[in-house]
Amino acid sequence: MTERKPPGVSFESWVDRQIREAEARGEFDELPGAGKPLPAVTDTPYDELWWIKRKMAREGLSVLPPTLALRKEAEDALVAAAAAPSERTVRRIVEDVNAKIREVMFKPPPGPPLGLKPYDVEKIVQEWRAAREGRSTGVETERRKSGGTA
């Protein structure tokens, strides 16, 4: 700990002296990033929380409102169900996400509206079976016939 600023000495000159003495002792040698340019700054306006956002990105963290996080989880559940090894696993994945969707429907959390309703488990299992057997579902067949999207 450094000594206290003596009375009558300007703060700026006292701080400058502290820095100069620390440099002379070599306290700034071998700091991480010494002699390297500062990380690239984006063209966005100054953000007071830049360091928090950088830390969260480095740690792989994200903060989404609960409903948006559930939407993402629901999308991921459909992908996982399509790649599931068994019908039992497909049912478990879809039923688990449906339980979460129902909970949010009846007890909305803060944030934007969910905009989802529970998935039809039987329809998803039917699509899973069709994908496993290498044939398309009715919707996919109609889409191919019309040459567009359904």
Side-chain angles (χ1 to χ4, degrees):
M1 174 96 182
T2 61
E3 73 269 5
R4 297 181 65 108
K5 179 182 90 57
V9 176
S10 75
F11 185 77
E12 185 175 342
S13 63
W14 181 75
V15 169
D16 290 336
R17 185 174 58 92
Q18 295 291 318
I19 293 171
R20 192 174 55 256
E21 289 174 359
E23 281 180 327
R25 290 189 302 268
E27 292 183 18
F28 297 125
D29 297 346
E30 311 218 11
L31 288 175
K36 297 178 185 172
L38 291 173
V41 178
T42 62
D43 294 332
T44 59
Y46 177 73
D47 182 4
E48 293 178 354
L49 302 177
W50 67 269
W51 62 276
I52 294 173
K53 291 176 181 175
R54 186 175 294 166
K55 173 76 172 169
M56 289 176 65
R58 192 171 50 246
E59 299 293 328
L61 300 173
S62 67
V63 179
L64 287 175
T67 51
L68 295 180
L70 183 54
R71 281 185 189 185
K72 173 72 172 117
E73 186 177 345
E75 289 175 11
D76 293 345
L78 290 178
V79 171
S86 68
E87 185 175 319
R88 176 186 291 177
T89 305
V90 174
R91 290 180 184 280
R92 183 185 49 78
I93 291 169
V94 177
E95 288 169 356
D96 287 350
V97 79
N98 278 349
K100 292 177 182 180
I101 291 171
R102 283 187 189 97
E103 182 180 339
V104 170
M105 286 174 60
F106 297 121
K107 186 173 59 174
L114 178 60
L116 286 178
K117 61 182 182 179
Y119 296 120
D120 182 346
V121 177
E122 295 305 319
K123 180 181 175 198
I124 292 173
V125 168
Q126 180 183 7
E127 290 172 358
W128 176 84
R129 284 183 190 146
R132 290 286 179 188
E133 294 171 4
R135 57 187 168 91
S136 60
T137 60
V139 173
E140 292 170 350
T141 304
E142 289 300 318
R143 186 180 312 150
R144 287 190 195 126
K145 284 179 185 176
S146 66
T149 57

